[in-house]
């Protein structure tokens, strides 16, 4: 799902990068205000976990990759704003050190995997879990559902960002300047891999790790999150 530089127009990257600035500011303020100091190391561990699990990626035809992310897992345990910070840090290091995702496209990748994914997955989890106790079977299944939904919505956002490029940015002779694949190619390419493979990996990882945290360190988990 990491978008490299050159596949999106600079204006697309700068627009979503500008969108991310107030999001990062808000996330930092919320985490500073609501996340207990004793749980900060767990946010760092979440960033490391996201960094590692995103390295196991599979190339797919439109120039990006399919992989699990861990955003929803972090959102369920520490809250979605903490997930914004943790996953953004992981994405920045991946882009800067390993070239996994472009530096110019960093804001776009953060928008997809550090905002859309944790928030949609977290609220999907809350909806599916209802009033179930943390660690219950319903809550564990809901965590898996949240992971699956969050990952696929983030993948859909990336597919749309790819797919609109040849509609908006072409040379005088009609040749696409950036990603050459339209929506009819980008969406099936992205969603097939994520709906059939990566989404289930994300669901399993989210459900199993959340269950483990609830069982072994329930004081770490924040059942109501820190989304306020």
């Amino acid at each position: 799902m990491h978008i490299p530089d050159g596949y999106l127009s600079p204006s697309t990257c700068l627009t979503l990068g500008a969108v991310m600035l107030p999001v990062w500011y808000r996330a930092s303020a919320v985490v500073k205000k609501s996340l207990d100091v004793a749980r900060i190391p767990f946010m760092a561990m979440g960033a490391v976990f996201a960094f590692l699990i995103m390295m196991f990626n599979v190339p797919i035809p439109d120039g990006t990759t399919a992989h699990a992310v861990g955003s929803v897992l972090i959102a369920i345990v520490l809250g979605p704003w903490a997930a914004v910070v943790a996953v953004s840090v992981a994405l920045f290091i991946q882009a800067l050190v390993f070239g996994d995702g472009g530096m110019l496209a960093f804001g776009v990748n953060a928008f997809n995997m550090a905002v859309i994914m944790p928030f949609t997955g977290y609220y999907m989890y809350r909806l599916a879990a209802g009033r179930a106790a943390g660690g219950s079977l319903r809550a564990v299944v809901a965590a898996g559902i949240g992971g699956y939904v969050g990952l696929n919505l983030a993948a859909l956002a990336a597919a749309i960002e790819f797919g609109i490029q040849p509609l908006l940015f072409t040379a005088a002779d009609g040749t696409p300047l950036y990603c050459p694949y339209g929506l009819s190619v980008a969406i099936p390419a992205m969603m097939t891999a994520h709906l059939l493979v990566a989404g289930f990996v994300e669901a399993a990882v989210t459900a199993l790790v959340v269950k483990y945290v609830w069982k072994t360190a329930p004081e770490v988990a924040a059942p109501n999150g820190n989304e306020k």
Side-chain angles (χ1 to χ4, degrees), residues 44-91:
M45 292 172 62
V48 172
F49 178 81
F51 177 90
L52 291 175
I53 198 171
M54 285 191 284
M55 299 298 283
F56 295 95
N57 51 49
V58 177
I60 55 179
D62 57 1
T64 184
T65 55
H67 54 76
V69 175
S71 294
V72 179
L73 163 63
I74 300 170
I76 293 172
V77 175
L78 299 174
W81 289 108
V84 172
V85 175
V87 178
S88 293
V89 170
L91 289 169

Side-chain angles (χ1 to χ4, degrees), residues 129-225:
R131 296 181 180 274
S136 66
L137 177 60
R138 177 174 174 177
V140 171
V141 172
I145 293 172
Y148 183 86
V149 171
L151 183 77
N152 279 288
L153 288 178
L156 178 61
I160 293 173
E161 290 152 3
F162 279 124
I164 62 174
Q165 298 304 306
L167 299 176
L168 300 177
F169 306 102
T170 58
D173 62 357
T175 304
L177 294 174
Y178 304 102
C179 176
Y181 306 113
L183 292 169
S184 62
V185 175
I187 290 178
M190 283 291 289
M191 297 316 297
T192 300
H194 287 86
L195 285 169
L196 298 181
V197 181
F200 288 105
V201 174
E202 184 78 34
V205 168
T206 303
L208 291 174
V209 176
V210 165
K211 180 181 179 180
Y212 179 80
V213 171
W214 272 324
K215 182 178 180 179
T216 60
E219 71 280 5
V220 173
N224 295 320

Side-chain angles (χ1 to χ4, degrees), residues 101-166:
M103 287 304 300
L104 184 60
F106 168 62
V108 184
N109 287 322
F111 180 74
N112 296 338
M113 289 181 272
V115 177
I116 291 178
M117 182 173 175
F119 277 96
T120 58
Y122 176 76
Y123 285 108
M124 187 67 237
Y125 154 74
R126 293 284 299 271
L127 179 65
R131 296 181 180 274
S136 66
L137 177 60
R138 177 174 174 177
V140 171
V141 172
I145 293 172
Y148 183 86
V149 171
L151 183 77
N152 279 288
L153 288 178
L156 178 61
I160 293 173
E161 290 152 3
F162 279 124
I164 62 174
Q165 298 304 306

Side-chain angles (χ1 to χ4, degrees), residues 13-30:
C13 295
L14 292 175
T15 298
L16 288 178
V19 169
M20 284 303 300
L21 293 178
V23 176
W24 284 320
Y25 179 80
R26 172 67 174 163
S28 299
V30 172

